[in-house]
Amino acid sequence: MTESNHRKPRVLSGVQPSGALHIGNYLGALLQWKDLQDTYENFFCVVDLHALTVPENVKPAVLREKTLEVAALYLASGIDPKRSTVFVQSEVSAHAELAWVLTCASPLGWLNRMTQFKSKSESAHTVGAGLLTYPALMAADILLYEADQVPVGADQKQHIEFARDVAARFNELYGPTFKLPNPMIPPTGARIMGLDAPEQKMSKSTGEKAPGHAIGLLDAPNAVKKAIMRAVTDTGSELVWAEASPGLKNLVSIYAAISGETPDVVAARYEGRGYGYLKKDVAEAVEGTLAPLRARYAEIRGDVGYLDSVLDAGAERARAVADPVLARAKIAAGLGRTR
Ligand code: ATP
Ligand code: LTN
């Protein structure tokens, strides 16, 4: 908390390379990230250490490939590596090191309360300890950069509150060390639901197993259209917004998040009209966003050296910020011989 008065406020966020990114990840996270680039100093990381928390789900070669894919998708979504630091979490060793220190400062009761742990541990074959301590690693990601804001979808709010609480607890135990972060959640698009089951959050892990669940950012245009046209709605046929089912609300939210309107304004245009009109326009709006994104993605992946050079420079910039904060935390906790 020393030099922080003189710099731009900071943002840090990340996505796990644990599967194919979907429109929920884009609308809940990536879309807001790119708009923050002029106001904030930004750090966007590919959180590969987090992807190890369910090891059965990620084979090593797939994890390596997904890490590059996610980094390329950040850039394809409009993250400019000249204005933002883009890096891979495991390449900045301070994350794993601070995670241990914070794990020790994390009361078990707080970890046990995390809803993501409860839901993910129900579906995992064996539950690794990392799935439980995951929020301490996420807190390390955030606290190392003294982030003021953490732009994420609604499902991550609890983890950011955890990061705040563990930072406050560390500060109490060892003296003022960490800045307390705030969640930044978009008004629309923060919780996109599965197209096949609109009472469940659209998720990478479910999308891998259930075709028709998610709209993948790299899906072919006909697959995107098909998934939207087949999205579960209800037995009605014309939109009555005041009584709309979760499936219809979800389609309207997707459209609104893309167009930048409120759901009410979008819904008013479809009031009393058949569901098919809404679906067709949602499909067009989504394709209008994904077509240029896919093209930029292909360009980035086609230039072999480019992505490596962005990630090398990103890791170096990230280390320059994270290492001194880690050193401060270690001294505060009495680790090593330096005082
Ligand atoms: P997994 O199923 O592997 O947990 P996920 O789809 O939940 O994956 P994450 O890597 O956990 O994706 O999330 C990356 C970012 O995308 C986070 O900011 C998260 O809040 C956001 N996000 C994830 N799913 C949605 C969704 N359905 N709607 C809006 N935002 C989402
Ligand atoms: N837990 C997040 C991913 C994540 C993250 C972060 C998000 C790991 N570290 C730091 C914001 C800030 C998730 O989306 N599942």
Side-chain angles (χ1 to χ4, degrees), residues 25-279:
N25 300 131
Y26 180 78
L27 299 176
L30 300 176
L31 179 63
Q32 23 165 13
W33 297 1
K34 78 169 174 191
D35 294 335
L36 300 171
Q37 295 184 102
D38 290 325
T39 327
Y40 291 89
E41 185 182 351
N42 297 276
F43 295 85
F44 298 120
C45 91
V46 181
V47 292
D48 56 346
L49 293 169
H50 277 103
L52 280 188
T53 52
V54 189
E56 302 89 332
N57 289 358
V58 267
K59 301 261 179 295
V62 177
L63 181 56
R64 262 192 290 276
E65 167 56 24
K66 289 283 168 201
T67 296
L68 292 175
E69 184 178 305
V70 172
L73 280 170
Y74 287 1
L75 304 184
S77 304
I79 304 303
D80 171 5
K82 292 201 189 75
R83 288 182 293 158
S84 297
T85 300
V86 177
F87 66 102
V88 178
Q89 184 190 33
S90 66
E91 294 177 7
V92 179
S93 57
H95 290 245
E97 199 173 341
L98 183 62
W100 173 253
V101 178
L102 296 178
T103 300
C104 296
S106 300
L108 203 48
W110 295 3
L111 292 166
N112 275 323
R113 272 203 296 278
M114 296 293 119
T115 53
Q116 182 178 293
F117 172 67
K118 288 186 205 161
S119 62
K120 288 204 174 180
S121 55
E122 270 164 22
S123 54
H125 272 303
T126 46
V127 179
L131 198 58
L132 180 67
T133 59
Y134 177 119
L137 175 59
M138 179 161 161
D141 299 340
I142 297 168
L143 302 180
L144 281 171
Y145 300 88
E146 302 181 284
D148 299 273
Q149 301 289 339
V150 186
V152 285
D155 62 317
Q156 293 303 313
K157 186 162 179 263
Q158 196 185 31
H159 286 158
I160 295 160
E161 282 160 4
F162 179 96
R164 257 187 100 82
D165 291 346
V166 87
R169 182 165 148 78
F170 187 101
N171 290 349
E172 226 168 79
L173 285 168
Y174 303 118
T177 307
F178 293 122
K179 188 175 178 75
L180 308 194
N182 298 295
M184 183 188 252
I185 295 170
T188 316
R191 189 170 170 81
I192 300 298
M193 311 308 278
L195 296 182
D196 59 340
E199 52 297 321
Q200 280 171 25
K201 179 186 92 95
M202 186 180 284
S203 105
K204 285 192 230 102
S205 7
T206 314
E208 301 275 285
K209 290 168 230 140
H213 169 80
I215 302 167
L217 298 183
L218 298 173
D219 284 356
N222 55 351
V224 169
K225 188 163 181 204
K226 197 162 132 190
I228 295 170
M229 296 312 286
R230 290 193 180 168
V232 168
T233 51
D234 53 52
T235 52
S237 51
E238 280 115 37
L239 184 73
V240 181
W241 185 231
E243 293 160 20
S245 58
L248 290 166
K249 286 192 181 141
N250 193 36
L251 290 170
V252 169
S253 294
I254 292 173
Y255 191 107
I258 290 175
S259 70
E261 298 164 290
T262 64
D264 286 347
V265 165
V266 171
R269 288 202 294 275
Y270 296 92
E271 187 70 19
R273 294 171 68 199
Y275 297 165
Y277 292 103
L278 172 65
K279 285 184 164 180

Side-chain angles (χ1 to χ4, degrees), residues 311-331:
L311 295 174
D312 285 346
E316 201 172 310
R317 291 214 299 259
R319 280 183 214 114
V321 174
D323 287 349
V325 177
L326 172 67
R328 208 168 68 211
K330 286 172 70 175
I331 293 169

